[in-house]
Amino acid sequence: MPKILLNTVLLEKNRWKDGQIPSIQVSEWIPSIKENGFDGLEIWQNHLLKARGEEKARLRQGKLPIEVFNSYIKFEDGHEDERAKVVDFVTEIQCKAVKFNLGHSMEYKSKYITHVKELLNQLPHFCELRCECHPGTIMEEPETAYQVFDQIGSNRVKAIIHPFHDQVNIEKWFQHLGSSITHAHVSLYRNQLFHLLSSDESFVRKRITQLHDLQFKGSYSIEFTAGVATGDENTDQVFTNASEDQYLLRQLTSELGV
């Protein structure tokens, strides 16, 4: 059975606001997250970086593992201190994976690659990097992603895809990256709104079947769901929706043997 994580960015109303100051303490949600069947956390960087000391301690001692550190570090020149801070946190909490995004400029591709290699050397040996491949970055197309991964040249750098986005050609991604795809961000986004997976269960089932046929062996993270980014966003309802998505995803992956 694949691991299904709760991505704490979906609980955070201030995720895209100026300053990105956390509005919640993740530790207070952990009992409910665990009770609803999630296997661990993909924690939004500011839920740790901008947390108070007591909250950091509670998260380190929590009963739910932090599987992925969801970072938004930059790989242009001048962001060395930012990257070093992430290394310190990841080492402290013994996190096994750091999610990252590259920038959008092909002109800086070689710089991005250089800094990714540097970061990889600074991280503990047990920690891998997972690149979120999506529009708005140079990793939008699988051909380019393959080239970047090839130039980085490390099996500790993996890929994250979004299998439930209509425009994502799963077969094409696996054709180019294969077993380097180890993590899936889960959200169903249509007509400028996030939806429950159950709103199109046949589509979700079809995509999971494709993942099974392509021998995907990775984990899932419920990243966004119905109720996120609405004018009257309600965190309790968003969590309820995420739990429903987790349940359906687990049911379908179990049925299909993924």
Side-chain angles (χ1 to χ4, degrees), residues 87-253:
V87 170
D88 290 341
F89 267 95
V90 168
T91 303
E92 183 180 353
I93 64 175
Q94 297 285 289
C95 188
K96 296 179 181 178
V98 175
K99 165 259 169 185
F100 72 99
N101 302 88
L102 292 180
H104 66 275
S105 174
M106 292 300 294
E107 181 182 349
Y108 291 109
K109 184 174 77 168
S110 62
K111 283 287 186 183
Y112 298 153
I113 291 170
T114 295
H115 292 313
V116 168
K117 288 181 177 180
E118 291 171 353
L119 179 61
L120 197 62
N121 289 332
Q122 294 166 5
L123 287 167
H125 66 88
F126 56 78
C127 184
E128 67 182 26
L129 288 171
R130 296 182 183 176
C131 181
E132 186 178 25
C133 302
H134 67 53
T137 74
I138 66 168
M139 306 295 271
E140 181 172 356
E141 298 295 335
E143 296 88 349
T144 305
Y146 171 81
Q147 294 169 9
V148 170
F149 273 56
D150 186 56
Q151 290 175 50
I152 293 172
S154 173
N155 61 10
R156 285 173 58 211
V157 181
K158 306 297 185 181
I160 301 172
I161 64 169
H162 300 74
F164 307 113
H165 287 192
D166 289 316
Q167 74 274 18
V168 172
N169 186 325
I170 296 177
E171 290 185 3
K172 196 173 180 181
W173 277 101
F174 274 86
Q175 177 187 343
H176 286 84
L177 297 185
S179 60
S180 292
I181 301 171
T182 61
H183 195 51
H185 275 175
V186 176
S187 65
L188 186 61
Y189 187 71
R190 291 173 176 169
N191 301 317
Q192 299 183 311
L193 286 173
F194 291 105
H195 301 270
L196 286 165
L197 296 183
S198 59
S199 68
D200 196 346
E201 184 175 329
S202 62
F203 170 77
V204 173
R205 181 184 292 272
K206 178 181 177 181
R207 287 297 177 100
I208 293 175
T209 300
Q210 282 185 286
L211 290 170
H212 173 64
D213 292 343
L214 293 163
Q215 300 182 32
F216 174 65
K217 305 295 183 185
S219 52
Y220 295 88
S221 178
I222 309 296
E223 183 183 31
F224 298 118
T225 187
V228 167
T230 58
D232 55 348
E233 185 170 335
N234 181 297
T235 305
D236 289 327
Q237 186 59 54
V238 167
F239 177 68
T240 297
N241 293 343
S243 299
E244 183 177 325
D245 283 349
Q246 180 270 149
Y247 178 80
L248 179 61
L249 186 62
R250 198 176 296 281
Q251 178 185 354
L252 293 178
T253 54

Side-chain angles (χ1 to χ4, degrees), residues 41-106:
L41 301 175
E42 177 169 344
I43 195 160
W44 182 57
Q45 63 172 19
N46 289 336
H47 283 150
L48 268 175
L49 295 180
K50 295 187 177 182
R52 294 182 176 181
E54 317 89 78
E55 172 68 355
K56 292 173 184 175
R58 286 191 291 267
L59 289 171
R60 283 197 303 270
Q61 299 162 9
K63 297 180 180 179
L64 203 58
I66 298 175
E67 298 279 352
V68 182
F69 183 84
N70 180 359
S71 80
Y72 290 86
I73 47 178
K74 295 180 173 63
F75 288 89
E76 289 83 3
D77 290 338
H79 295 276
E80 290 75 16
D81 290 346
E82 181 184 347
R83 294 191 290 271
K85 185 180 292 187
V86 167
V87 170
D88 290 341
F89 267 95
V90 168
T91 303
E92 183 180 353
I93 64 175
Q94 297 285 289
C95 188
K96 296 179 181 178
V98 175
K99 165 259 169 185
F100 72 99
N101 302 88
L102 292 180
H104 66 275
S105 174
M106 292 300 294

Side-chain angles (χ1 to χ4, degrees), residues 9-28:
V9 72
L10 75 79
L11 298 175
E12 183 51 64
K13 291 180 180 181
N14 294 338
R15 66 184 77 80
W16 296 312
K17 292 185 178 180
D18 292 343
Q20 298 184 334
I21 305 300
S23 63
I24 63 165
Q25 293 191 104
V26 172
S27 63
E28 296 178 353

